[in-house]
Amino acid sequence: MAALIFLLLLYSSKNSYAFQEKMSTLETEGLRHSHVFQISSLLPSTVCNSSTKVMNRKSSLEVVHKHGPCFQSSQDRAKVPSHAEILSQDQSRVDSIHSSLYMNSMEEMDAVTLPTKIGISVGTGNYLVTVSFGTPGKKYALIFDTGSHFTWTQCEPCAGFCHDQVEPIFDPSKSRSYANVSCRAATCNQISAEGMQQDCSSSTCVYGISYGDSSSSAGFLAKEKLTISRSDVFPGYLFGCGQQNQFRKGNRVAGLIGLARGKFSFVAQTARKYKKIFSHCLPSDDSLTGYLTFGGTKLPKTIKFTPMSKSFQNTLFYGLDIIGINVGGQRVPIKSSVFTTAGAIIDSGTVITRLPPTAYAQLKSSFQKYMTSYPRAPALSILDTCYDFSRSDVIIAPTIGIVFNGGVEVDIDFSGIFYIRNESQACLAFAANKDANDVAIFGNVQQKTYEVVYDDVKGRIGFAPGGCN
Ligand SMILES: *[C@@H]1O[C@H](CO)[C@@H](O)[C@H](O)[C@H]1NC(C)=O
Ligand SMILES: *[C@@H]1O[C@H](CO)[C@@H](O)[C@H](O)[C@H]1NC(C)=O
Ligand SMILES: *[C@@H]1O[C@H](CO)[C@@H](O)[C@H](O)[C@H]1NC(C)=O
């Protein structure tokens, strides 16, 4: 800490011999627990730079950000929501996760009065992949979401409403492999048990699903051929042919692919082939691409696994146990009961990691001690610890490590430490839950650049750094 402040002072006399000598000592000591970077390196490019990695991986899809240049043209991007809107939508998703888990625990206490899982589907995520539906197959951009379970796409004749989307809307009358599911089918009767609305229209099974950010889809439950790649084809995949669809502003996607738990989940429907294993890497910025891979491909040597938390086994979510937080290589003093009170989940659709209020307060206070040389900037929506870097050539920030059960430390990439509006407003990309009893959520900003491996048979989640490279 003291060494870092000293280093900052030395920056004003960059050319001195003392500086260079000190710098080399610090590189091996103090800087080992710091990120040194220029703010410009964190501002996303307006041009898409596609990674070649996905092409070399079996059973893989390219992952792009829904507001980034790899998906939307610059004209569309003028319509994307502001950072404040994105963060407020993120809060809606988090509120909905919290209330659905609260409902679930009520249900366990009193199974008689609350027979169904209520509102267990949440939010619509940020990253998307392109898959193909039908025969002949047509491609559709779908948001992938580890926090929701159902797959659906906007569907002709759009009897209710369809949004504008990039590709022509899926038309079942033009596919030889499409089939409605009948109201009498056993799968139709699973809809309400899986937390969705179930109905029947002239003997065709009807689903309805609503999300925490007030988006929703309703339509026919159907079976269709889903194609991931030439060697990854799933005939009779159960999905929703959405006739009445409601999204938030700025989405031009066709629908959603659900990777959470549950009978309709992609993971459950493809379990024979992929053994409930998938992994993803989310790129360091929105102008780059990542991947979503299905099945147990060769795991990177550097991967470390933490057990999935048993507390969430009966929910849609993948649970994790946080046991500590390191800032600048030092453990932040937080009582372990702060993390065990409500537990934690991992979610690809939540942007900002949410921590128990006490844990966040301690993280923030440790972080601020390293950042005293930068002027503060106003809060940005839910983010209250912001800095003005517009007059700094080089920024030095402490490393932040989240430690999971088994001592698995995820050293957050520097692209996951700040949420940046612009040079003059870069905020610590963590936020506090409102209540100590709300579940913590490991969000997508903090997952950036890691290969995150989900293995729901062995009950473990793995993290390997440098996953997108
Ligand atoms: C694209 O990304 C790679 C890896 O991040 C980088 O090395 C390369 O310079 C980038 N290319 C352009 C044109 O930005
Ligand atoms: C699916 O069911 C709907 C509603 O009953 C009907 O309008 C539509 O024609 C059916 N599609 C097929 C391919 O059977
Ligand atoms: C950053 O964004 C804020 C709000 O839009 C604006 O007031 C400020 O001038 C911007 N700063 C820079 C350096 O672009």
Side-chain angles (χ1 to χ4, degrees):
M1 174 62 203
L4 280 175
I5 289 173
F6 185 48
L7 175 72
L8 291 168
L9 292 172
L10 280 171
Y11 261 99
S12 51
S13 57
K14 267 182 195 167
N15 299 324
S16 74
Y17 176 71
F19 169 77
Q20 293 184 2
E21 185 154 88
K22 197 78 203 168
M23 189 74 187
S24 62
T25 320
L26 284 169
E27 261 162 15
T28 52
E29 292 169 18
L31 288 182
R32 199 149 48 96
H33 299 295
S34 315
H35 295 287
V36 181
F37 58 95
Q38 288 175 308
I39 189 76
S40 57
S41 69
L42 288 179
L43 300 171
S45 156
T46 51
V47 183
C48 176
N49 180 357
S50 219
S51 155
T52 49
K53 184 151 184 174
V54 65
M55 294 169 216
N56 309 325
R57 295 172 69 94
K58 246 181 81 186
S59 307
S60 293
L61 296 167
E62 187 173 67
V63 165
V64 303
H65 196 278
K66 72 178 178 190
H67 300 317
C70 299
F71 180 59
Q72 307 225 355
S73 70
S74 54
Q75 194 194 346
D76 299 331
R77 268 180 292 129
K79 288 184 252 165
V80 309
S82 68
H83 289 299
E85 283 172 309
I86 290 170
L87 293 170
S88 119
Q89 286 177 24
D90 196 43
Q91 189 57 41
S92 312
R93 179 180 176 99
V94 166
D95 290 343
S96 143
I97 290 175
H98 289 154
S99 63
S100 72
L101 286 169
Y102 175 72
M103 292 293 200
N104 258 8
S105 64
M106 293 292 287
E107 180 194 331
E108 271 157 37
M109 280 187 278
D110 195 347
V112 183
T113 52
L114 284 166
T116 55
K117 293 181 190 172
I118 300 166
I120 49 176
S121 337
V122 285
T124 45
N126 308 90
Y127 290 94
L128 47 92
V129 291
T130 297
V131 302
S132 160
F133 278 115
T135 313
K138 298 259 171 62
K139 290 188 165 175
Y140 301 94
L142 305 180
I143 285 173
F144 78 90
D145 188 358
T146 64
S148 67
H149 63 128
F150 192 62
T151 303
W152 56 267
T153 181
Q154 301 199 100
C155 208
E156 294 287 3
C158 297
F161 183 76
C162 287
H163 286 257
D164 176 37
Q165 65 178 50
V166 171
E167 306 92 358
I169 290 170
F170 176 74
D171 185 349
S173 72
K174 294 194 174 129
S175 169
R176 291 194 298 277
S177 45
Y178 178 92
N180 282 329
V181 171
S182 134
C183 300
R184 290 185 307 276
T187 42
C188 184
N189 289 308
Q190 285 171 350
I191 288 183
S192 61
E194 293 295 305
M196 296 184 282
Q197 292 87 48
Q198 179 181 326
D199 208 338
C200 193
S201 162
S202 36
S203 84
T204 301
C205 183
V206 170
Y207 74 93
I209 188 162
S210 40
Y211 300 92
D213 60 358
S214 78
S215 45
S216 65
S217 174
F220 306 120
L221 183 66
K223 288 185 173 184
E224 180 54 290
K225 185 164 91 182
L226 169 64
T227 304
I228 302 294
S229 77
R230 203 170 294 180
S231 51
D232 301 80
V233 182
F234 300 93
Y237 185 85
L238 282 162
F239 82 121
C241 173
Q243 299 294 323
Q244 168 70 46
N245 309 287
Q246 191 62 54
F247 307 161
R248 294 297 284 251
K249 166 187 167 191
N251 280 316
R252 292 196 66 213
V253 297
L256 184 144
I257 185 162
L259 298 176
R261 293 196 175 109
K263 292 203 173 66
F264 290 101
S265 163
F266 177 88
V267 179
Q269 291 197 57
T270 60
R272 266 171 108 190
K273 186 170 171 80
Y274 302 135
K275 313 276 185 282
K276 296 197 177 184
I277 299 172
F278 66 93
S279 64
H280 60 63
C281 185
L282 308 177
S284 60
D285 81 51
D286 299 354
S287 65
L288 301 172
T289 59
Y291 57 82
L292 172 63
T293 297
F294 302 111
T297 53
K298 223 173 99 193
L299 295 172
K301 284 200 183 68
T302 52
I303 195 155
K304 289 193 190 130
F305 283 99
T306 182
M308 283 183 189
S309 159
K310 301 240 181 334
S311 328
F312 296 93
Q313 235 157 21
N314 298 322
T315 73
L316 289 172
F317 300 108
Y318 299 104
L320 290 170
D321 294 307
I322 299 176
I323 59 173
I325 298 177
N326 294 335
V327 174
Q330 300 285 312
R331 185 61 60 98
V332 177
I334 302 168
K335 280 204 218 118
S336 62
S337 61
V338 167
F339 295 115
T340 53
T341 301
I345 60 164
I346 180 166
D347 180 24
S348 70
T350 296
V351 180
I352 301 292
T353 290
R354 299 306 201 283
L355 294 170
T358 319
Y360 177 71
Q362 291 290 86
L363 163 66
K364 173 166 104 174
S365 130
S366 300
F367 186 78
Q368 284 170 344
K369 287 182 192 147
Y370 288 87
M371 301 296 291
T372 48
S373 52
Y374 304 100
R376 291 293 295 265
L380 175 59
S381 178
I382 55 169
L383 306 176
D384 64 9
T385 303
C386 304
Y387 296 92
D388 178 354
F389 291 140
S390 60
R391 275 157 295 170
S392 315
D393 291 335
V394 177
I395 295 139
I396 304 177
T399 56
I400 298 181
I402 307 293
V403 188
F404 296 104
N405 194 1
V408 173
E409 180 174 358
V410 174
D411 182 5
I412 307 300
D413 186 73
F414 76 97
S415 59
I417 291 183
F418 292 102
Y419 187 94
I420 296 170
R421 177 190 232 166
N422 59 30
E423 284 99 319
S424 52
Q425 197 179 17
C427 307
L428 175 63
F430 288 81
N433 277 334
K434 288 177 192 143
D435 192 295
N437 295 312
D438 287 336
V439 69
I441 304 173
F442 190 60
N444 65 40
V445 166
Q446 281 69 35
Q447 296 172 35
K448 282 177 176 183
T449 75
Y450 272 81
E451 176 166 359
V452 183
V453 180
Y454 295 72
D455 180 341
D456 202 18
V457 171
K458 292 205 173 113
R460 58 184 193 165
I461 293 175
F463 296 94
C468 294
N469 302 332

